[in-house]
Amino acid sequence: MEQTTQSHSNKEVKAILASFVILAILLKIVFYKETTIIVLKTVATISWLFVLPGYFISKIWQQDLNFTERLIICIPISAAIIGISSYYLGLLGLNLRIQSFILPPAIIFITLAKTKLFKLLK
Amino acid sequence: MKKETIIETIFLLAFIGTMFWIGIADSWGHKIQHDFPYSYLASDTFQHQTRAQWIKDTGNYKYEAPYYSAGYTNIVGFYPPILLHLSVLFSHISGLEVYDTILFITVFFAITGSLIFYNIISCWNKQIAILSMPLMTYIFTIREARVAFYWGHWPALLGDFFLVACLWMLINLQKKHSGIILGILLAATTLAHTAATIFTVLFILIFFAIAVLRKKLEKKQLKNIIIAFTVLLILTAYFLILFKQTWMVVFPFTFQIWTDWTGGGGFITLQSFGTYTLLIMALGMFFIIFSKNQNNFFQKLIALFSLGAGFTNYIGFSNRAFNFRFYWPILLSVLFGTGIYKIAKKVINNLTTFKSAAISLAVIAILINYNYTPTGKIDGLMNQYTWQTLNWIKDNTENDAKIFFFYGDSYDQDGSLGNTHRRNTRVEIIDLSQTLQNKKIEKEYPTKELIESGTELPYREGMFTYARVIAENKNVTGRKIRDVCSFDYYVFDKSGRYPVLVQFNQIIANTFAQHNFTIVFDNPLSIVLKNQQHGGQCFGANNTITL
């Protein structure tokens, strides 16, 4: 059982990396006058802010949704959670510069911790 | 990976690439990073950009910038914040400037919105979903929809994006924790563009009313919707209290029928889609309405609702209905997809994913060829010299310096002047034309200070109570007659669309030079003069310059 989960996770990591590479190639074609480093930074930022947090959250639906569906719906979910948290954390005094680096991993960590906690409770 | 999935993925990638190309890459000169704000065609774009830049500089959105708040430092951040925050976070991580990230993510979300809607239609019929995509390209080809991106209707576009995400969540309301996620997405509509929440909630109410009538409402769905509204209220309580005491007071709901929106750059009408496209959509509408298929209830409802909501300008929703119409190319796409599908089925027996994708790409190519004129690079209102001048002022003048702008082509759209990070006032061009006839300019002159006075400059009075500066002091206003000599720095442009006004600039600058003014900055487009005798007789003894 654990091995299956492990192999599923490996597949997911590979799929996410593949989508990162494909999006980078696509954007490099469309923005062909832009330097590769800027394109890579843009794609990395999209993944960091708008893909990864929502993708981990949508793990709860991994039985119902395929990879592409999760990849698409994770974007508004990430944007909503990151945007709302950023607004309120800013009001509480946490500078956006710091938020930009800690918010996505914090959301992923909370999601994973919650899932693990649920499993333990069960 | 299945062959079908590979075909679908390739199709979607081609679609995404095309959308980026026509959406922004063409007008941005196929570059992501620019030396100054690119393709900004109206003051509103700069308004959002300068506000986002302020948030980046201060690290939060507790207050508005004093330089566009008449110098007040306690004006509470009143604008829907989510787009501003996302663009700042994007800027921090990517290293791109806020002026690039804010427009980039608006386009990125519109493309994502079309993919989400593709998913919604896919739940019913994959072929129709694929064939619906050509209509979505209209979001970047209809003039009035393009205006939304280049004139700065960005918050409305983001609100519509979250509305589409809410629709996806509604169709998946039986999923685990979907109530919480729907609540978060609903809160995002509120914090992006509050009008989008109204439309989303309206749709939810209609959806549930029909579900009750059809006796198809599940207990779990009802529970999730209650959770969603609870989450919405919790996440937006702070902002809604502020909203109620600011926006709703200054702009109370009034029953207004709008049939024109010149100020907003026009609006999408059904005619915007063109006759042939409309015919296909009408065919799709016919089949959707009269189909006995129960699986497309949700898609049918969205299409009908979107059509109806877009016309609420006739029942008092004013320009908010036009804001909703920005997303018509996405929300009505199912009609087009169904129309094409029915035609294709008549011709092709076995309509596979591959064949649908091929037809869809061919239709996209035809539509773009017909509807889209390659723009090439669009610099917009900003240029390198004006940008240089604004930045020089920001970096070299005192924090409390007051800047005065005489005639310049882009200064009329004064949102850009916020980039000086100083209080800015400009000459009223209309009055300057009047001066042309009188051949003299007075020291006391009609001017306009850049003040974001939309909600009358709200400030915190108590824990949850706000008062408004302008409501208390009507003298705080952008437009009024001011003493032109009372400013610290003056910007004159040396060239422009109206040579006569440029000549005015030269005469006034020469007069200033005779009254203790010094040139502190000079570039091929503008000069900046410093007033050494603040409030003095800069116009000479008669307080008048004869032209």
Side-chain angles (χ1 to χ4, degrees), chain B residues 220-274:
Chain B
K220 195 174 180 186
Q221 285 181 316
L222 190 65
K223 186 187 134 196
N224 278 334
I225 213 74
I226 293 168
I227 293 173
F229 279 108
T230 312
V231 172
L232 164 70
L233 282 177
I234 293 168
L235 291 181
T236 56
Y238 172 83
F239 184 75
L240 284 180
I241 291 168
L242 173 64
F243 188 84
K244 189 174 173 287
Q245 294 177 56
T246 54
W247 291 97
M248 285 177 72
V249 177
V250 183
F251 303 101
F253 179 80
T254 48
F255 187 90
Q256 275 186 320
I257 294 173
W258 282 44
T259 53
D260 197 9
W261 195 30
T262 324
F267 55 92
I268 299 179
T269 62
L270 285 175
Q271 286 87 343
S272 310
F273 291 101

Side-chain angles (χ1 to χ4, degrees), chain B residues 430-448:
Chain B
I430 299 168
D431 290 284
L432 208 53
S433 306
Q434 186 66 42
T435 306
L436 188 69
Q437 289 168 0
N438 299 340
K439 296 210 177 292
K440 63 177 182 182
I441 180 168
E442 308 272 344
K443 185 185 167 204
E444 302 278 329
Y445 204 79
T447 59
K448 179 177 179 284

Side-chain angles (χ1 to χ4, degrees), chain A residues 36-76:
Chain A
T36 308
I37 190 78
I38 294 292
V39 170
L40 287 174
K41 274 183 179 179
T42 305
V43 175
T45 310
I46 290 172
S47 308
W48 180 252
L49 283 179
F50 302 140
V51 175
L52 292 176
Y55 193 81
F56 275 88
I57 290 169
S58 71
K59 216 170 163 57
I60 45 173
W61 304 324
Q62 66 179 1
Q63 308 295 335
D64 314 315
L65 301 177
N66 64 34
F67 176 74
T68 317
E69 286 170 327
R70 275 181 69 192
L71 200 61
I72 293 169
I73 200 59
C74 73
I75 295 171

Side-chain angles (χ1 to χ4, degrees), chain B residues 290 336 425 440 442 516:
Chain B
F290 294 104
F336 184 82
T425 305
K440 63 177 182 182
E442 308 272 344
N516 284 331

